[in-house]
Amino acid sequence: MQKISFNEDRSAVWLAFLFIALALCLPLGVGNLLGWVIGVKVWTDPFNALAPLSKSFSHIPGWVSLIATLAFIALLLLWERRRFAENKKAFLSALLIVLTLTMIGWVLGHAGIVAAVPNEREKLGLKWSMGLTGEAGYLAALFIGLIIGNFFTSFAKFLSQAARTEWFIKTAIVLVGAGVGLKGLEQANLAGTVFFRGLAAIVEAYLIYWALVYLMARKVFGFSREWAAPLASGISICGVSAAIATGAAIRARPVVPIMVSSLVVVFSVVELLVLPFLAHAIIPEEPMVAAAWMGLAVKTDGAAIASGAITEALYMAQGGFQKGWMLMTTTTVKIFIDLFIGVWCFILACVWVYGIDRKPGEKVSLREVWDRFPKFVIGYFIAFALFITLGLSFPDKIKELKESSTNLDAFRKFFFALAFFSIGLSADFKRLWQEGLGKLILVYVVCLFGFVIWIGLGISWLFFHGIMPPTGVTP
Amino acid sequence: MNNPQETEKLVDELHNQPYEPMVAAEIWLVSISLFTGISILIILAFVLKN
């Protein structure tokens, strides 16, 4: 009898849809079945870092919510792998340790001194912070995995049965679809000018940025396709999600997009600290161009929105503009970028299945195309379409849908963090960073500072110059 | 678990990426992407100017 192997692709889609089904119980009136899930905030006092996501569960202590979340995820993952784990008790023990260590990394990454961006410092009572945003949690999870993988090898071997990088990545990407679907719908209600110009700017960014960075990585730096595609997505599009989704769509080894992503998180700090001030210095009369530029040039969501807020503060000080317009422009541009990740992954998956992975002269049947096609990309689209359709059909339920999306986002981030931990466990990242990162950094610096940010400025100028935010007191 | 052979392979790859010529599908993807992007840019620049 043929042994059935565990299909991470299919399992990830089912797992993500189970989360989505539970989250949708809220707008359907059944109740907020995921509101008790743990939310991690940027903190200066660790006792204030954890709280349930929904205010309706605020009576539950953070540590109870934390334990319940870890137990819930562990049981779901165990249930998914029940037929494939040789020793279920050992698998469950390893899984619980992996989940706990990843959560520790995720919480540590939210420490104010590490994560707070400049506009949050005052609120948190900090004079200085690294400004890495909450996405530093990915690096902290990676770092913990790395320590175990390098110094506690027999323990790492035990944990490796539960550290399934691709499973975690693909589950998270389907959940990304649900989040961006709803965000896209919210943006559609914005002022027409910002909407149209933001959309046009993004189409341009994808078509020009990605192709140029890919070409540079392949022709100038001699990278293979497996490295060049995630690198192009990470540098040109939207950092972590784009690099990981692209890597999975072209079936790259998980370590490749994770290395690119860790670079993206570090570099986004440089962009966050430099670009708002550079924009204010070189285009002092064009606040909307500056805001759109932040959305196009700063790579992680958190850093881009923080850059938009800093840019707004800089221009508000000079102009008496209404608050919120510049930040809205940055956010719109950034969210449109996120929306198109799925489309781009779909295109890349098709090109790879049809044009690159196919051997010369080989005819690929539709059945084979389906078999080779990464199912999580389809899962992403279904999740995306589901949230958009629900939002359009039931506009009175937008608030509940938004809360559902927030609940799913917590799982999405945690599954990405699990992927970073698993990679730290499985690869000698220290050696890779020491010996291999130089070339990646070189491509990153040359592309980002050589043309990506300047093309971004040009595109922002073309679509937004001359448009001013309304003046006067914010209504 | 840390796999030294895999790490060695990755480090070697990063130093000496295996030569992988661009195939037709890649060239098409990059060319169509750039052509479409630049065309839309010119059209939109013209439309927005008028």
Side-chain angles (χ1 to χ4, degrees), chain A residues 148-197:
Chain A
I148 296 170
N150 284 276
F151 299 108
F152 306 94
T153 43
S154 50
F155 185 46
K157 190 179 177 187
F158 170 71
L159 294 183
S160 64
Q161 60 185 305
R164 312 288 299 201
T165 313
E166 291 202 44
W167 195 25
F168 300 144
I169 284 176
K170 289 171 180 174
T171 308
I173 292 170
V174 179
L175 296 176
V176 172
V180 295
L182 197 67
K183 283 178 191 162
L185 190 67
E186 283 177 345
Q187 302 302 311
N189 297 325
L190 293 177
T193 305
V194 172
F195 180 85
F196 169 72
R197 286 164 196 256

Side-chain angles (χ1 to χ4, degrees), chain A residues 180 198 201-202 205-206 209 233 236-239 242 292 294-299 301 330-342 344 380:
Chain A
V180 295
I202 293 312
Y206 267 88
Y209 276 176
S233 295
S236 64
I237 305 176
C238 179
M294 296 307 117
L296 276 175
V298 182
K299 295 301 160 206
D301 283 355
T330 306
T331 311
T332 305
V333 168
K334 194 71 198 154
I335 284 169
F336 282 154
I337 289 181
D338 292 348
L339 277 176
F340 276 84
I341 292 171
W344 200 246
Y380 172 99

Side-chain angles (χ1 to χ4, degrees), chain B residues 20-37:
Chain B
E20 215 178 45
M22 281 182 83
V23 296
E26 284 173 283
I27 297 167
W28 272 104
L29 176 68
V30 170
S31 310
I32 291 174
S33 200
L34 281 174
F35 176 76
T36 316

Side-chain angles (χ1 to χ4, degrees), chain A residues 178-228:
Chain A
V180 295
L182 197 67
K183 283 178 191 162
L185 190 67
E186 283 177 345
Q187 302 302 311
N189 297 325
L190 293 177
T193 305
V194 172
F195 180 85
F196 169 72
R197 286 164 196 256
L199 193 62
I202 293 312
V203 171
E204 286 307 298
Y206 267 88
L207 294 172
I208 296 175
Y209 276 176
W210 195 93
L212 280 178
V213 179
Y214 185 79
L215 203 58
M216 284 282 282
R218 294 280 283 126
K219 297 297 274 186
V220 179
F221 293 94
F223 275 95
S224 64
R225 289 176 208 110
E226 189 192 18
W227 283 91

